[in-house]
Amino acid sequence: MKILQGAALVGQSGGPTAAINATLSGVIRGALENAGAITKLYGMKNGIEGFLEERLVDLSGLFHNADGQIDMDKLELLCQTPAAALGSCRKKLPNPQEDKAFFENLIQLFQKYDIHYFFYIGGNDSMDTVAKLTAYLQDAEYDMCVMGVPKTIDNDLAGTDHTPGFGSAAKYIAATVSEIIRDCAVYTVPAVTIVEIMGRDAGWLTASAGLPTLTGRPAPDYIYLPEVPFSIDAFLEDVRRALARHPNVVIAVSEGVRDKEGHYAGESAQSGVTDAFGHRYLSGTGKALEMAVKEKIGCKVRSVELNISQRCGAHIQSAVDIQESIGVGKSAVEAAVAGKTGCMMAMERAEGEYTISFVPKEISGIANAVRSVPRDMIIPEGNNVTDTCLTYIFPLIQGECTQKYVDGLPAHLIIE
Amino acid sequence: MKILQGAALVGQSGGPTAAINATLSGVIRGALENAGAITKLYGMKNGIEGFLEERLVDLSGLFHNADGQIDMDKLELLCQTPAAALGSCRKKLPNPQEDKAFFENLIQLFQKYDIHYFFYIGGNDSMDTVAKLTAYLQDAEYDMCVMGVPKTIDNDLAGTDHTPGFGSAAKYIAATVSEIIRDCAVYTVPAVTIVEIMGRDAGWLTASAGLPTLTGRPAPDYIYLPEVPFSIDAFLEDVRRALARHPNVVIAVSEGVRDKEGHYAGESAQSGVTDAFGHRYLSGTGKALEMAVKEKIGCKVRSVELNISQRCGAHIQSAVDIQESIGVGKSAVEAAVAGKTGCMMAMERAEGEYTISFVPKEISGIANAVRSVPRDMIIPEGNNVTDTCLTYIFPLIQGECTQKYVDGLPAHLIIE
């Protein structure tokens, strides 16, 4: 395949993470270091949605300093900035067979800016975008390398050992839950604390709450993932058993747990709740379980929703995750310049000592597949994860980043 | 006054903070360095409640290494451990005039362990304990130095420029809100994010969310403190005005805001809500405001409760706060050994460049007084804080601690 010459376009899509900008910095560095092929790098604001409105940022200009050198300080600052610095979108592309006009319009825009490289950083929906664009380009008379670059805190993308962004979220969760456990340990009155963790369908993030046990440190008494049907009665039984052992019970639960009929815990526990305006009120999973414990057990109970901080808590990034996030972005560019297209840059783990290699994989087999926690990584009782699960996650939270603080707060790079 | 010789007792009380163990480490270091006066240091488990059950820890033994030297590594590990390492309690002592027997029993226990120094680390309730014990001892035939050592994330103790623990909580809040603002900035759809921050009566913590503005960085659009009567209509008007300016609106609100009749926002906005069991459901302030925005404005809205992480997020301690927390503990011991009693160790701020000195102050004028955010530190409209307020808080969040991580997670010292 011939080596293309032209501009490159990079975008970010889907939910924010603490590492998606590290991946962007990898793409930027890769592009700037391959100036022979990539003549200019554009960033699309708010993903493909912003590109359609021609909202572009000249990243080549932004990340070169006055001497014409790559601005490494700015790249580092980008790495420690949480959430998508270019903005994001949730736009799903139409099917190429059904809406050719949409893609013809896209191609015209690519031509207008001489764009021949397309890098899209995101999760499942973003890989769908990459797959559709790839499919369309197969029959189109336009040469362009299209590469998907994975990111998602949920760790649910197929075709890769794990996803960039997951490690930092897992580190935030394990550290925060460890702190919550210390907080809960100070009183002697029996009390239950329920920590609700993100993950609608995949339980990887919630599983991370168990990491301290691997090194003999306190961890939640029970961990409930969406991969196993949730029973409120079994849950209450678990809580009673834990309270019999010690006064300070801590539970980690995925927001996505559902009973065997598929009802979320927040639904079933509160089916009769209406608000002042007569609307049905749907609480979060943690709050619903809190109310169930209060009603059925009657002890002191509270719920803590880790909420969006678990995906944007960049001040406690995992160094391994950030290095890999940069690497997956940079290697995607290098693979594209070497002629690859229609791929997602995946990570492969070697046997034995933890090492990762970056491997381009055909996008068609990856998009729209979801990778859940396998049943054998959950204990038979369904209320905790196995050591195999934790051993898999463990390397991904290792190492701390030296963050730059300005006036007492982490410094962020804002791209206007 | 003669210099007492005997054992010392230290306890922690009230809600956990990220710096209360740094203060404990200061007391330990102060005691071990003054072995001429303090023959032995006991820690009471779960404060005065545990002492009454004679649950004591030999801290002198625990913090000396095998060579008989003070174990500085262990003291450092204690400093970075969140929540009260000795455990806490919420016990309020009886009035000395009304329950002499209670205090006679206490004195007998002091005698049993030859305790002549008493250090109590805590907030308002703990200073009440110190005040009552001091009052009783004035007429009792038992020589004991009693010192209160302040801590509270709420920063609401009288008699001191600020309280140890507040700076780290403020740093956590300002950093986390900064990250949330980045997270919210990625989409173009109008959306409101309401961040609920601790503080039932004092708004210092919520005010901290505004710190980024001091250095020209993005901060919440509006900040609501419990010191100003809260109006849901004015709030909705503020939100509408912010949405007219930009799509991503972020609001910081204290959990304690109430209307001019004294009703919490969580009460008034949901007066008609009942749960599946027919109970009245009281949501948090953030959730109540979320529902109000959804109902009255109808845009995308969510609420984020920072919850207990803001008081136990030790992984992002303020270095200034930790140094001061150690200092206030150590200087309390030094003052006691020099003959002071019946005091709280306060912090005084010098004019000009930020410097703090530790000054013992009579406990009688301090206990049970609450220091709120003065009205002139809140803008006239009541929906934000002034630069004077932020300038006061600013020095307290400066500096980062070099934390020890083990296997990817912050290391904690657990005292069994």
Side-chain angles (χ1 to χ4, degrees):
Chain A
M1 187 171 172
K2 68 173 177 187
I3 302 306
L4 293 172
Q5 204 178 31
L9 182 65
V10 61
Q12 297 171 304
S13 182
T17 82
I20 186 169
N21 288 331
T23 298
L24 176 61
S25 88
V27 171
I28 295 171
R29 186 150 176 204
L32 301 188
E33 286 181 356
N34 286 280
I38 295 176
T39 52
K40 185 165 185 168
L41 178 64
Y42 292 106
M44 37 184 145
K45 295 296 300 271
N46 301 108
I48 197 78
E49 205 169 274
F51 178 63
L52 290 168
E53 297 163 359
E54 296 180 61
R55 290 192 285 116
L56 298 179
V57 188
D58 172 11
L59 293 175
S60 303
L62 195 61
F63 286 90
H64 275 114
N65 58 29
D67 305 332
Q69 304 293 307
I70 299 175
D71 192 332
M72 297 305 289
D73 289 346
K74 207 179 256 183
L75 281 176
E76 265 190 35
L77 202 53
L78 180 60
C79 283
Q80 72 169 54
T81 302
L86 291 173
S88 183
C89 71
R90 293 236 179 242
K91 188 171 178 65
K92 211 162 159 101
L93 296 202
N95 201 310
Q97 274 87 48
E98 289 163 16
D99 192 352
K100 279 208 162 53
F102 177 89
F103 288 89
E104 283 161 10
N105 177 36
L106 258 187
I107 300 289
Q108 276 177 11
L109 283 176
F110 291 146
Q111 278 172 323
K112 178 173 174 182
Y113 293 95
D114 190 33
I115 291 164
H116 293 279
Y117 292 93
F118 183 96
F119 302 101
Y120 214 45
I121 310 168
N124 267 312
D125 288 345
S126 313
M127 295 310 126
D128 179 70
T129 296
V130 171
K132 282 173 176 159
L133 188 54
T134 300
Y136 180 80
L137 284 167
Q138 269 163 355
D139 305 318
E141 304 233 327
Y142 190 76
D143 280 336
M144 187 160 78
C145 283
V146 181
M147 293 291 282
V149 194
K151 78 82 217 175
T152 167
I153 59 164
D154 291 322
N155 199 35
D156 61 351
L157 270 176
T160 184
D161 177 74
H162 58 280
T163 56
F166 169 61
S168 292
K171 189 183 186 92
Y172 178 93
I173 290 164
T176 299
V177 170
S178 292
E179 290 173 339
I180 289 173
I181 290 171
R182 293 263 54 72
D183 189 283
C184 295
V186 305
Y187 295 120
T188 52
V189 181
V192 177
T193 302
I194 297 157
V195 184
E196 180 185 323
I197 297 168
M198 280 182 170
R200 217 69 187 148
D201 298 303
W204 296 111
L205 289 172
T206 308
S208 311
L211 284 168
T213 44
L214 260 195
T215 44
R217 291 183 272 185
D221 292 278
Y222 294 105
I223 295 176
Y224 304 94
L225 310 189
E227 283 83 354
V228 176
F230 183 79
S231 151
I232 190 87
D233 294 329
F235 161 77
L236 290 168
E237 211 35 65
D238 288 345
V239 171
R240 283 191 192 96
R241 217 168 20 241
L243 281 168
R245 285 197 302 268
H246 52 201
N248 303 299
V249 174
V250 177
I251 303 284
V253 63
S254 165
E255 60 174 348
V257 294
R258 332 178 240 282
D259 64 21
K260 51 184 195 303
E261 280 81 40
H263 299 296
Y264 288 102
E267 280 177 76
S268 54
Q270 296 204 9
S271 48
V273 179
T274 51
D275 69 14
F277 312 104
H279 298 145
R280 185 148 162 267
Y281 182 71
L282 265 186
S283 84
T285 296
K287 186 53 90 179
L289 299 184
E290 175 191 327
M291 288 169 72
V293 169
K294 188 178 266 172
E295 177 68 22
K296 302 291 185 183
I297 300 181
C299 67
K300 191 180 151 196
V301 56
R302 81 185 136 197
S303 59
V304 179
E305 193 183 342
L306 295 193
N307 217 309
I308 51 175
S309 287
Q310 65 200 293
R311 73 180 185 200
C312 65
H315 67 271
I316 186 168
Q317 288 170 329
S318 148
V320 163
D321 183 34
I322 295 305
Q323 281 314 310
E324 291 178 351
S325 296
I326 296 170
V328 78
K330 194 159 178 283
S331 63
V333 176
E334 287 159 357
V337 167
K340 276 281 172 199
T341 185
C343 289
M344 180 185 86
M345 210 61 196
M347 296 198 283
E348 275 184 8
R349 190 190 297 223
E351 295 280 322
E353 201 188 341
Y354 181 77
T355 35
I356 282 295
S357 44
F358 303 110
V359 186
K361 292 213 178 153
E362 292 278 338
I363 191 73
S364 54
I366 292 170
N368 303 309
V370 171
R371 199 171 57 92
S372 306
V373 180
R375 187 59 182 87
D376 63 4
M377 283 197 178
I378 304 167
I379 65 169
E381 298 82 352
N383 54 13
N384 218 323
V385 294
T386 65
D387 277 3
T388 313
C389 178
L390 298 175
T391 306
Y392 157 79
I393 304 173
F394 183 74
L396 316 182
I397 68 157
Q398 298 307 309
E400 291 72 50
C401 295
T402 314
Q403 298 259 331
K404 187 180 169 201
Y405 279 69
V406 174
D407 292 319
L409 295 174
H412 294 158
L413 180 73
I414 299 180
I415 299 178
E416 297 292 352
Chain B
M1 186 171 172
K2 69 173 179 190
I3 302 304
L4 293 172
Q5 203 178 34
L9 183 64
V10 60
Q12 297 170 304
S13 182
T17 84
I20 187 170
N21 288 331
T23 298
L24 177 61
S25 88
V27 170
I28 294 171
R29 188 152 173 202
L32 300 188
E33 287 180 356
N34 286 280
I38 296 177
T39 51
K40 184 166 185 167
L41 178 64
Y42 292 106
M44 37 184 146
K45 296 296 300 271
N46 301 106
I48 197 80
E49 203 169 277
F51 177 64
L52 290 167
E53 296 163 357
E54 296 180 60
R55 291 191 284 117
L56 298 178
V57 187
D58 171 11
L59 294 175
S60 303
L62 196 59
F63 286 90
H64 275 115
N65 58 28
D67 305 332
Q69 304 295 308
I70 298 175
D71 192 333
M72 296 306 288
D73 289 345
K74 207 180 256 183
L75 280 176
E76 265 190 35
L77 201 55
L78 179 60
C79 283
Q80 72 168 55
T81 302
L86 291 173
S88 183
C89 71
R90 293 237 179 239
K91 189 172 179 63
K92 210 164 161 101
L93 296 203
N95 201 310
Q97 273 87 48
E98 288 163 17
D99 192 351
K100 278 207 163 53
F102 177 89
F103 288 90
E104 284 160 10
N105 177 36
L106 257 187
I107 301 289
Q108 277 178 9
L109 282 176
F110 292 146
Q111 279 172 322
K112 177 172 175 185
Y113 293 96
D114 189 33
I115 291 164
H116 292 279
Y117 291 93
F118 183 95
F119 302 101
Y120 214 43
I121 309 168
N124 266 313
D125 288 345
S126 312
M127 294 312 125
D128 179 71
T129 296
V130 170
K132 283 173 175 159
L133 188 53
T134 299
Y136 180 81
L137 283 167
Q138 270 164 353
D139 305 316
E141 307 235 324
Y142 189 77
D143 280 335
M144 188 160 79
C145 284
V146 181
M147 292 291 283
V149 195
K151 76 84 215 172
T152 165
I153 58 164
D154 291 322
N155 197 37
D156 61 351
L157 269 176
T160 183
D161 178 73
H162 59 278
T163 55
F166 169 61
S168 292
K171 189 183 185 92
Y172 178 93
I173 289 165
T176 300
V177 170
S178 292
E179 291 174 339
I180 288 173
I181 289 172
R182 292 263 54 75
D183 189 284
C184 294
V186 306
Y187 296 119
T188 51
V189 181
V192 177
T193 302
I194 297 156
V195 184
E196 179 186 325
I197 297 169
M198 280 182 171
R200 216 70 186 149
D201 298 303
W204 297 111
L205 289 172
T206 307
S208 312
L211 284 168
T213 44
L214 260 195
T215 44
R217 292 183 272 185
D221 292 279
Y222 295 104
I223 296 176
Y224 304 94
L225 310 189
E227 282 83 354
V228 175
F230 183 79
S231 150
I232 189 88
D233 293 330
F235 162 77
L236 290 168
E237 212 36 63
D238 288 346
V239 170
R240 283 191 191 96
R241 217 165 23 238
L243 281 168
R245 287 196 302 268
H246 53 200
N248 302 298
V249 174
V250 177
I251 304 284
V253 63
S254 164
E255 61 175 347
V257 294
R258 329 179 243 283
D259 63 22
K260 51 183 193 306
E261 279 80 42
H263 298 296
Y264 288 102
E267 281 177 74
S268 55
Q270 296 203 7
S271 48
V273 179
T274 50
D275 70 11
F277 310 104
H279 298 145
R280 185 147 161 267
Y281 181 72
L282 266 186
S283 83
T285 296
K287 185 54 90 178
L289 298 185
E290 175 191 328
M291 289 169 73
V293 170
K294 187 180 265 172
E295 177 68 23
K296 302 290 186 184
I297 300 181
C299 67
K300 192 179 150 195
V301 55
R302 79 184 139 198
S303 59
V304 179
E305 193 185 342
L306 294 192
N307 216 309
I308 51 176
S309 286
Q310 64 200 294
R311 73 180 187 202
C312 65
H315 67 271
I316 185 167
Q317 289 169 329
S318 148
V320 163
D321 183 34
I322 294 307
Q323 282 315 309
E324 291 178 350
S325 296
I326 296 170
V328 79
K330 195 159 177 284
S331 62
V333 176
E334 287 159 358
V337 167
K340 277 279 171 202
T341 186
C343 289
M344 180 184 88
M345 208 62 196
M347 297 199 283
E348 275 184 7
R349 190 192 298 223
E351 294 282 322
E353 202 188 341
Y354 181 77
T355 35
I356 282 295
S357 46
F358 302 109
V359 185
K361 292 214 178 150
E362 293 277 340
I363 191 72
S364 54
I366 292 170
N368 302 311
V370 170
R371 199 170 58 92
S372 306
V373 179
R375 187 59 182 86
D376 64 3
M377 283 197 179
I378 303 168
I379 65 169
E381 297 82 350
N383 54 13
N384 217 325
V385 294
T386 65
D387 277 4
T388 313
C389 178
L390 298 175
T391 307
Y392 157 78
I393 304 173
F394 184 74
L396 317 182
I397 68 156
Q398 300 305 309
E400 290 71 52
C401 296
T402 312
Q403 297 260 329
K404 188 181 169 199
Y405 278 70
V406 174
D407 293 319
L409 295 174
H412 295 158
L413 180 74
I414 299 178
I415 300 178
E416 297 292 351

